[in-house]
């Protein structure tokens, strides 16, 4: 069973990645914007009328963003989808306030 996920605002992601298992990461402060950026596209689908056979299925793409960062122990990945949106919103003059979650396997 995976451990419980921690929830926090996307605006705190940069400070949250500085800690791993309750301890400060070794090797100095992690600059999240300098970490390598990756993305994947997943699809969210809904069946129009689930109780009717041959009902149309509609799907929408959902792009998710991740950063691969490095500390003294090696590399680690963190999902940054909402953080990336917030960063773009700030550069466009606005700010979004969404909640993200993370867990350590």
């Amino acid at each position: 069973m995976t451990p419980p996920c921690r929830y926090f605002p996307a605006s705190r992601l940069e400070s949250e990645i500085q800690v791993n298992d309750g301890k400060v990461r070794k090797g100095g402060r992690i600059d999240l914007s300098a970490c390598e950026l990756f993305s994947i596209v997943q699809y969210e689908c809904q069946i129009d009328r689930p109780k009717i056979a041959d009902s149309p299925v509609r799907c929408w793409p959902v792009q998710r963003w991740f950063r691969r960062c490095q500390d003294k122990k090696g590399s680690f990945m963190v999902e940054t989808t909402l953080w990336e949106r917030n960063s773009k919103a700030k550069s466009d003059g606005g700010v979004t306030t969404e909640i993200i979650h993370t867990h350590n396997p």
Side-chain angles (χ1 to χ4, degrees), residues 18 26 28 30 37 43 46 56 58 73 76 87 93 99 103:
Q18 306 307 319
K26 299 201 185 275
I30 306 290
L37 181 64
Y43 291 87
Q46 293 180 350
R58 301 186 193 283
K73 289 186 174 181
F76 63 95
S87 296
I99 303 296
H103 71 278

Side-chain angles (χ1 to χ4, degrees), residues 29-64:
R29 186 158 178 81
I30 306 290
D31 177 4
L32 188 57
S33 63
C35 297
E36 189 175 6
L37 181 64
F38 296 89
S39 73
I40 62 170
V41 176
Q42 294 180 312
Y43 291 87
E44 180 178 336
C45 299
Q46 293 180 350
I47 302 170
D48 283 351
R49 295 182 183 138
K51 295 181 181 180
I52 298 174
D54 297 329
S55 179
V57 176
R58 301 186 193 283
C59 297
W60 299 268
V62 177
Q63 188 163 23
R64 297 176 65 191

Side-chain angles (χ1 to χ4, degrees), residues 4 20 32 34 38-39 73 78 82 86 89-90 92 95:
N20 184 29
L32 188 57
F38 296 89
S39 73
K73 289 186 174 181
V78 60
L82 298 177
N86 285 349
K90 284 180 190 174
D92 291 344
V95 177

